[in-house]
Amino acid sequence: MASRQLLVAPPEALRKPLCTPHRLMLGPGPSNLPPRVLAAGGLQMIGHMHEEMYQVMDEIKQGIQYAFQTRNALTLAVSGSGHCALETALFNLLEPGDAFLVGANGIWGQRAAEVGERIGARVHPMIKDPGSHYTLQEVEECLAQHKPVLLFLTHGESSTGVLQPLDGFGELCHRYKCLLLVDSVASLGGAPIYMDQQGIDVLYSGSQKALNAPPGTSLISFSDKAKSKIYARKTKPFSFYMDVQLLANIWGCDGKPRMYHHTTPVIGIFALRESLALLVEQGLEKSWQRHREVTQYLYRRLQELGLQLFVKDPALRLPTVTTVLVPAGYRWRDIVSYVMDHFSIEITGGLGPSAGQVLRIGLLGCNATRENVDRLAAALKQALQRCAQSRL
């Protein structure tokens, strides 16, 4: 029998069934889930250390290798969002005092720099205005000056809509004995990336963008060079949970019997497996082509409405997340709220250095269709008319 009287009554809200609205998610993520991924979320639980679970994890590793275009043995999923994968990379690659060069042309470079500072690395941010990208010459000058052990670049900067070119950066970094770390959370599946051929040492991404899986898992892979640095550390990583040597074991990357480390999100892993399976069935090149073609169609529809794209150079526009200048005389919140309230479509405003300047529209995975572009264009047309009238 209980020895004390309960002070908190059962919440009445939890006596009601859970009900969520159906929305078209055209922000920068999370994205809508395809039926097959939704079905995976309804499968019965199995143990996170069952042999059947290990088989699913092995299949996920193969899917990540395909999506990243890498043969790296040290390839796995992290139990956390893309931000968790960023911290996993930095916690394992950097030690206090290491020089860390960061491309900070949006919020994700800013986040990488802050994490590096918390580790105690000597952080050297290459700060650029939103909408800008990095050239090989600019990076080489900084590599020569700061002699970093690690360079961070964001392939798909979702806060500004920039697609950073990557060709040549891996080779450049290796000439200066520096590792290359790339964030592909917003670009994977929507824009070409070739981890091994481009000399990328560490690549990570998230589940909830173009892969159309639930948030909560992320993908990461380490080259042999990166693995050697991790295994030669003089200090233990700051995080036990994100210690790659321990994660390598539970993901079957080290050839040793798997030992308990943490309870992985079994249902989330099921969903991630199915999202990677859908990418495999569609094919990477077809996925890249579809995102490119549908986004070109989006550009035309936006320009018909008199809206201006934030990234001027078409070659530098991220196919999955488009940034649009907030038109003069409008408040971005009014447009975003109108589209949500009247059409149940999510788009968002800027983030970090682009806050207040842009609207962000995501065409991610299965959401990248002309039909969705037409629905959004109709919603934006009405929003621009009504939001302008509200201030007359």
Side-chain angles (χ1 to χ4, degrees):
M1 294 293 293
S3 59
R4 296 177 185 268
Q5 184 177 1
L6 297 179
L7 297 179
V8 179
E12 288 301 316
L14 293 180
R15 299 185 186 277
K16 304 174 184 177
L18 175 64
C19 182
T20 60
H22 180 75
R23 288 174 175 152
L24 177 57
M25 305 292 285
L26 297 185
S31 54
N32 293 102
L33 307 184
R36 184 163 157 185
V37 176
L38 278 171
L43 294 174
Q44 186 53 267
M45 182 67 61
I46 62 174
H48 59 288
M49 297 186 72
H50 291 180
E51 287 299 323
E52 296 85 352
M53 192 65 199
Y54 292 156
Q55 177 63 35
V56 172
M57 295 165 75
D58 289 344
E59 292 169 1
I60 286 173
K61 286 193 296 182
Q62 295 173 41
I64 298 172
Q65 288 171 324
Y66 172 70
F68 284 4
Q69 284 298 287
T70 183
R71 294 189 175 97
N72 292 335
L74 187 49
T75 298
L76 52 93
V78 178
S79 302
S81 67
H83 202 301
C84 188
L86 165 63
E87 296 203 350
T88 297
L90 296 182
F91 284 172
N92 286 275
L93 291 168
L94 292 176
E95 295 188 78
D98 281 348
F100 178 32
L101 185 62
V102 181
N105 62 337
I107 193 171
W108 303 117
Q110 293 177 349
R111 293 280 180 91
E114 180 170 339
V115 175
E117 289 171 356
R118 293 183 181 214
I119 293 171
R122 292 181 289 114
V123 179
H124 303 284
M126 299 182 293
I127 299 174
K128 283 209 162 192
D129 292 335
S132 302
H133 74 292
Y134 297 94
T135 66
L136 289 167
Q137 181 179 348
E138 290 169 339
V139 170
E140 183 167 14
E141 290 172 358
C142 292
L143 289 170
Q145 178 183 356
H146 300 297
K147 298 178 174 56
V149 302
L150 182 66
L151 166 66
F152 172 89
L153 292 175
T154 308
H155 185 222
E157 179 49 78
S158 60
S159 68
T160 63
V162 168
L163 182 70
Q164 169 66 44
L166 293 176
D167 284 347
F169 284 92
E171 180 184 355
L172 176 63
C173 284
H174 297 159
R175 283 209 309 269
Y176 285 85
K177 301 187 186 307
C178 175
L179 299 174
L180 176 58
L181 165 63
V182 173
D183 175 324
S184 68
V185 171
S187 60
L188 186 72
I193 192 165
Y194 308 88
M195 183 175 187
D196 289 358
Q197 295 178 59
Q198 292 176 316
I200 300 168
D201 292 292
V202 185
L203 182 65
Y204 69 87
S205 192
S207 58
Q208 76 277 17
K209 305 280 188 174
L211 290 181
N212 300 127
T217 56
S218 50
L219 303 67
I220 195 165
S221 182
F222 298 84
S223 71
D224 288 341
K225 288 186 177 72
K227 178 181 176 181
S228 294
K229 186 176 193 318
I230 292 170
Y231 280 69
R233 290 180 63 98
K234 298 175 183 177
T235 60
K236 290 184 177 182
F238 283 86
S239 171
F240 182 90
Y241 186 71
M242 291 179 272
D243 186 325
V244 165
Q245 294 191 52
L246 301 177
L247 294 177
N249 175 261
I250 66 168
W251 278 89
C253 301
D254 62 2
K256 300 177 182 178
R258 303 192 206 205
M259 305 292 290
Y260 172 77
H261 175 254
H262 73 278
T263 303
T264 54
V266 172
I267 301 301
I269 287 176
F270 288 168
L272 177 60
R273 189 267 182 203
E274 290 303 280
S275 70
L276 288 166
L278 290 172
L279 180 64
V280 166
E281 291 173 10
Q282 179 184 186
L284 267 175
E285 292 175 321
K286 287 186 178 179
S287 181
W288 297 336
Q289 180 181 2
R290 181 169 54 83
H291 281 85
R292 183 174 63 251
E293 291 176 350
V294 173
T295 301
Q296 291 289 341
Y297 181 62
L298 171 67
Y299 298 160
R300 294 198 296 271
R301 296 305 310 271
L302 292 173
Q303 289 164 346
E304 289 170 1
L305 296 174
L307 296 171
Q308 297 181 17
L309 300 176
F310 181 64
V311 180
K312 302 307 179 186
D313 187 344
L316 299 176
R317 291 174 186 159
L318 177 60
T320 52
V321 180
T322 297
T323 44
V324 183
L325 284 168
V326 177
Y330 288 84
R331 294 186 295 264
W332 71 267
R333 289 185 188 276
D334 292 344
I335 299 172
V336 168
S337 297
Y338 190 93
V339 170
M340 174 69 82
D341 295 343
H342 293 81
F343 294 89
S344 291
I345 298 175
E346 182 201 48
I347 61 174
T348 66
L351 184 65
S354 67
Q357 300 182 56
V358 302
L359 302 171
R360 294 188 297 151
I361 299 167
L363 294 175
L364 299 164
C366 66
N367 284 354
T369 67
R370 285 186 169 228
E371 178 187 8
N372 286 341
V373 171
D374 289 338
R375 287 179 60 184
L376 175 62
L380 283 172
K381 181 178 181 179
Q382 189 175 122
L384 293 171
Q385 293 171 346
R386 299 297 171 82
C387 292
Q389 290 175 358
S390 68
R391 282 192 292 281
L392 292 178

